[in-house]
Amino acid sequence: MLIIVKDGELTERKKQETYRYRGLFKVIQRITKLIEELEVVQEYLTYSDEENIRKQRVKQFNRILDEIEEQIQYAKEEYQAELPVCQGGDISRIIRE
């Protein structure tokens, strides 16, 4: 796995933090390779195959990404709700309680 460090130097801690996301990096790499392969064989695909790949499969990927975004947003909201008001937490939580 290639790690690019923009700020500072590559420390063991940065390696470990980055390694946690290796699964996502592998997915990105596979998608990139698929796009490259599609460009190579594009002229040999039938129109329906190309449309299926470009439209239907992309929709499926987008649905999965939407679910991930929703989970992240929910986690952010839960985190924000638990913060004390002095640290930027939700003041309306105090009023509700």
Side-chain angles (χ1 to χ4, degrees), residues 2-88:
L2 174 66
I3 301 173
I4 298 173
V5 180
K6 292 184 177 184
D7 298 324
E9 60 185 64
L10 180 62
T11 63
E12 191 60 35
R13 181 175 178 213
K14 283 184 183 179
K15 285 182 188 178
Q16 292 302 320
E17 288 174 357
T18 304
Y19 190 72
R20 288 178 34 201
Y21 299 104
R22 69 188 177 280
L24 290 173
F25 292 129
K26 286 181 180 180
V27 169
I28 292 168
Q29 185 177 20
R30 285 185 68 192
I31 291 171
T32 302
K33 284 182 180 180
L34 285 174
I35 291 170
E36 290 171 353
E37 288 178 23
L38 276 173
E39 289 175 348
V40 170
V41 299
Q42 185 173 9
E43 64 187 62
Y44 302 108
L45 290 175
T46 64
Y47 180 75
S48 61
D49 287 340
E50 185 178 348
E51 287 300 303
N52 183 39
I53 292 169
R54 287 187 341 166
K55 290 185 178 178
Q56 299 303 321
R57 301 305 175 209
V58 170
K59 284 181 184 178
Q60 289 175 337
F61 276 123
N62 279 326
R63 279 195 294 264
I64 293 169
L65 293 174
D66 289 343
E67 290 175 12
I68 294 170
E69 283 179 343
E70 288 173 9
Q71 291 173 343
I72 292 171
Q73 185 60 34
Y74 178 78
K76 283 180 181 178
E77 290 170 1
E78 288 295 310
Y79 170 76
Q80 189 68 25
E82 296 297 321
L83 276 178
V85 175
C86 63
Q87 292 180 350

